[in-house]
Amino acid sequence: MSDMARVAIEPAERAEFGFETEVIVIGAGAAGLVASLSAREQGAEVVVLERDASPSGSTALSSGLVPAAGTRLQAEAGVTDSVDWLAEDIRLKAHGLVDDAVVQSLSAVIGPTLDWLVERHAIGFTLIDGFSYPGHRVRRMHGPVQRSGRYLVSDLERAARAAGAELLTSARVDTLFVRGDRVEGVRVARPDGSREDVRCKALVLACCGFAGNRELLSRYLPDMLDAAFLGHSGNEGHAVRWGELLGAELADMQSFQGHGSVAIPHQIGISWALMMSGGYQVNRLGQRFANEHRGYSEHARDVLKQPQALAFDIFDERCHQVGMAFDHYREAAKAGALVTRPTLEGLAEALGLPVDEFLKTHEQVGRFVAGEAQDPLGRNFTTKPALAAPYYGIRITGGLYHTQGGLAVDPQGRVRRQGGDLFPNLWAAGGAARGISGPADRGYLAGNGLMSAIGLGRLAGREAGQAVRKP
Ligand SMILES: Cc1cc2nc3c(=O)[nH]c(=O)nc-3n(C[C@H](O)[C@H](O)[C@H](O)COP(=O)(O)OP(=O)(O)OC[C@H]3O[C@@H](n4cnc5c(N)ncnc54)[C@H](O)[C@@H]3O)c2cc1C
């Protein structure tokens, strides 16, 4: 076992508990911070333990976009949506291979949760306008105005502290203490080598998945080992390791959120909004290779299969303006990832593409846009205008964002044992839990990651808070 995943389960008798609290939450990303707010609302004492010096997680690296149905922000914008539509879109994308009860529960809770975060805790969500992500039938993406998860994390951290949750940073949990099937506490390792044991009545695992652990990746997702990893190094797979040691049920371990557009060598994720606004991709041979509108997650593997695992985003000024609403895109522009030329020939030369082949591809795309021919890869190009000069290109590869497999949970986030019954005081939320994307990358619907972080965080924190408050 690598150092990264060296975590343990120990009998409670071996603990030397220095202090105690009611609910411990491991991890201060979206899942952990929302769980802490939710448990505080029940009146529970909450300690959040975060390995880093300040909260970040994959949440801070994300675009911070969360799908939700029936929110006040949607109502104000005149968008009609429903819990059933959202649940149906999630199931459709995952080909029905999901835990239906969890999908329904998350679809129902996420709308009211975003309203609660906005109204009760002043979290800066807006409704994302201007384009739709593949698979979402209506406008339902909500996110910080900067479209960056950094702002979401700092808002949530401020709210959690204001609500009275205690946040201990530089506090990496390496051991869970158990008695029978109950978790009695945890051991925290500090950067100076000291250790502290903390007793609790309920534990919420919110320490995300295993995309940052090469050993677990080579076991479950060996073909993604060479993909650009854009998630957080703290995604060490601790929840999975504890789950294995406890006899918990793990599910969908081959599922992950990939991304088919990571600028290289800059290693910056380029918003799929470019593809949804009329952009397309070609490989080094100047040829298209997959339908860009199926979803960005499964597109990562398509890109990785191209010569030298390389491809190019091709778009224009109009798409560029859409991209400029995204923090990551602006960062990529600043880093010099964008190539722009007044002509297609000039762009092909600047990107090192075979000019004739690229022009042929572009001409074909023009026929698809005009409705004169059908794209053999299955994309409907007719909904957006043809690209116009000046033209843009970005050299990209396929990326791994976070894993979607994890601890199987009930619809409130309580962890299941192998065999199906539930641990009495253990919950999991976000990347620590099994996702809602089915068993593979192609089932990931945009926003599934934060939807289950925030939705399960809300549910798990609430139930854990209620459980410890029972007389
Ligand atoms: C580039 C990128 C863009 C993305 N964009 C989106 C998007 O727009 N919408 C969307 O829905 N999803 C997106 N995602 C996915 C999304 O970021 C994740 O699904 C989500 O952030 C998971 O939240 P979390 O709270 O479970 O984990 P995290 O945010 O990763 O938080 C887990 C925390 O646990 C801490 N931790 C881990 N182990 C321990 C331990 N043993 N002790 C103490 N602390 C520990 C970590 O340091 C970390 O802070 C994106 C991901 C990436 C990488």
Side-chain angles (χ1 to χ4, degrees), residues 58-59 61-65 133 141 208 210-211 217 221 224 227-231 235 252-260 262 272 295-301 398-405 435 437-451:
S58 283
T59 304
L61 306 176
S62 78
S63 304
L65 304 184
Y133 277 95
M141 279 300 187
C208 210
F210 58 92
L217 272 187
L221 289 167
M224 293 309 286
F229 173 48
L230 264 66
N235 291 187
D252 293 341
M253 297 301 283
Q254 271 79 36
S255 190
F256 65 93
Q257 180 197 16
H259 202 270
V262 174
W272 211 243
Y296 57 70
S297 180
E298 58 268 53
H299 211 82
R301 272 194 171 125
L400 170 63
Y401 276 12
H402 79 290
T403 50
Q404 280 273 292
S437 308
D441 56 337
R442 66 178 179 279
Y444 187 88
L445 184 67
N448 275 2
L450 282 171
M451 181 174 157

Side-chain angles (χ1 to χ4, degrees), residues 285-345:
L285 310 174
Q287 297 162 348
R288 284 183 63 243
F289 49 90
N291 174 356
E292 299 86 351
H293 281 191
R294 286 163 319 153
Y296 57 70
S297 180
E298 58 268 53
H299 211 82
R301 272 194 171 125
D302 291 322
V303 172
L304 292 169
K305 279 187 216 141
Q306 301 312 303
Q308 295 175 18
L310 263 185
F312 300 84
D313 287 349
I314 306 295
F315 54 103
D316 67 358
E317 178 65 28
R318 186 179 48 77
C319 303
H320 167 71
Q321 290 306 332
V322 174
M324 286 301 277
F326 289 78
D327 239 26
H328 290 150
Y329 183 86
R330 289 195 296 273
E331 199 188 313
K334 227 191 245 168
L338 276 59
V339 172
T340 178
R341 292 290 184 276
T343 65
L344 287 165
E345 291 82 352

